[in-house]
């Protein structure tokens, strides 16, 4: 049974064009080909990156945040109440007015006190500003290094300038050492993001982030095994370019450098729209849909790879919609109030004025002017 599954999984027609077999991709004296077993290197790489990230955030990012005057807001702790705590975890973090009235009867508390308790309890679970700064600085640093490393690996390659060269001699294309390290680091990074989702800053697009990371890892794994490595490196470079500006904009926003943050938002919006809505669909996806058919008949891998690219493109369109909303507010108000992906830290005072104001905006609150793309 297991042998049958293995034979089907590695059936050549799933991964390779017709008239090409795994035997054709065995290493020779002058050629080295990518192997599925090499993907295992991304697991220890991810674990190492988690360790490096911990050290980076503790000994570099945190002192930098303090030097820039970034401090966590002092939060009031919610009172001990087992009834409300059980409801908070088992039912909802944002009870309706009818639910609040029902809880008032169970606890004997007035409505205002119950409302304040839920605001304080929600705030307790929200990450502080320093944690957000540290997370953004780590991602910004990695994306910058990855993008520069990608350019270094691509600048002298013919397929960087002529996309038809991506398919020259496909799939019998020798693997380069620079491609191996580029893939290993990128896959290790996205795997580390997937492993750290439980303790990273959570956004409203948490599910989209999971889909993005899984789709990216699936796409990179398949492209490696099928020797779609050339187009894979181009896809990674295009994605990293806008992520640098995104995370950099967050850093300036957290440091309250408003003018610089606004400039970064304009740059990010421009780079994102050009790379994700123009270059990615009309150059790279066009390259994977059209040019291969000039050399071989479509096979399962051809369709699968392009479907995964379309999944990423759907996420790009979704995030572009969120960015457009932010850009609209920026143009007409000359400032950004926040991000529709994030939860605002609520005022946990018990004044009636603050309660009414915050309860009217609790589900539409936005925080962090530039956290809107990629799921990162």
């Amino acid at each position: 049974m297991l042998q049958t599954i293995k034979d089907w999984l590695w059936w050549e027609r799933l991964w390779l064009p017709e008239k090409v077999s795994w035997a054709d991709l065995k290493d020779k004296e002058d050629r080295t080909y990518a192997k599925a077993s090499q993907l295992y290197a991304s697991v220890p790489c991810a674990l190492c990156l988690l360790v490096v990230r911990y050290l980076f955030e503790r000994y570099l990012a945190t002192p930098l945040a303090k030097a820039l005057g970034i401090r966590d807001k002092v939060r009031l702790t919610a009172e001990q109440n087992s009834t409300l705590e059980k409801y908070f975890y088992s039912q909802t973090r944002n009870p309706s007015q009818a639910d609040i009235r029902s809880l008032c009867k169970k606890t004997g508390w007035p409505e205002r006190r119950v409302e304040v308790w839920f605001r304080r309890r929600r705030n307790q679970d929200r990450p502080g500003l320093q944690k957000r700064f540290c997370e953004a600085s780590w991602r910004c640093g990695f994306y910058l290094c990855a993008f520069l490393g990608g350019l270094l690996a691509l600048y002298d390659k013919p397929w960087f300038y002529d996309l038809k060269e991506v398919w020259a001699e496909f799939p019998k294309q020798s693997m380069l050492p620079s491609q191996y390290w580029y893939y290993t680091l990128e896959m290790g990074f996205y795997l580390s993001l997937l492993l750290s989702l439980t303790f990273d800053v959570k956004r409203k697009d948490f599910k989209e982030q999971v889909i993005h990371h899984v789709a990216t890892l699936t796409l990179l794994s398949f492209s490696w095994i099928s020797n779609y490595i050339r187009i894979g490196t181009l896809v990674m470079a295009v994605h990293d370019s806008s992520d640098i500006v995104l995370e950099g904009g967050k850093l300036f926003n957290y440091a309250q450098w408003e003018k610089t943050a606004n400039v970064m938002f304009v740059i990010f919006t421009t780079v994102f729209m050009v790379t994700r809505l123009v270059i990615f669909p009309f150059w790279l996806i066009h390259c994977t849909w059209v040019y291969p058919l000039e050399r071989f008949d479509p096979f399962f891998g051809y369709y699968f790879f392009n479907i995964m690219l379309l999944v990423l493109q759907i996420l790009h369109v979704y995030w572009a919609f969120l960015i457009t909303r932010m850009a609209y507010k920026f143009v007409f108000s000359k400032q950004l109030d926040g991000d529709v992906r994030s939860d605002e830290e609520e005022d946990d005072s018990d004044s009636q004025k603050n309660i009414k104001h915050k309860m009217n905006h609790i589900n539409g609150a936005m925080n962090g002017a530039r956290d809107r793309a990629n799921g990162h």
Side-chain angles (χ1 to χ4, degrees), residues 331-349:
V331 169
F332 289 97
S333 66
K334 302 303 179 184
Q335 65 178 12
L336 290 167
D337 295 328
D339 176 9
V340 292
R341 299 193 322 153
S342 305
D343 289 323
E344 183 184 52
E345 183 159 326
E346 302 165 72
D347 190 331
D348 52 14
S349 64

Side-chain angles (χ1 to χ4, degrees), residues 283-316:
W283 290 9
L284 299 187
I285 293 183
H286 179 268
C287 172
T288 61
W289 271 109
V290 178
Y291 296 157
L293 300 181
E294 298 175 0
R295 297 179 176 273
F296 53 81
D297 293 331
F299 60 105
F300 173 82
Y302 166 83
Y303 293 113
F304 180 81
F305 187 77
N306 283 289
I307 288 174
M308 295 307 297
L309 289 180
L310 290 177
V311 170
L312 288 181
Q313 185 57 35
I314 290 172
L315 292 174
H316 295 165

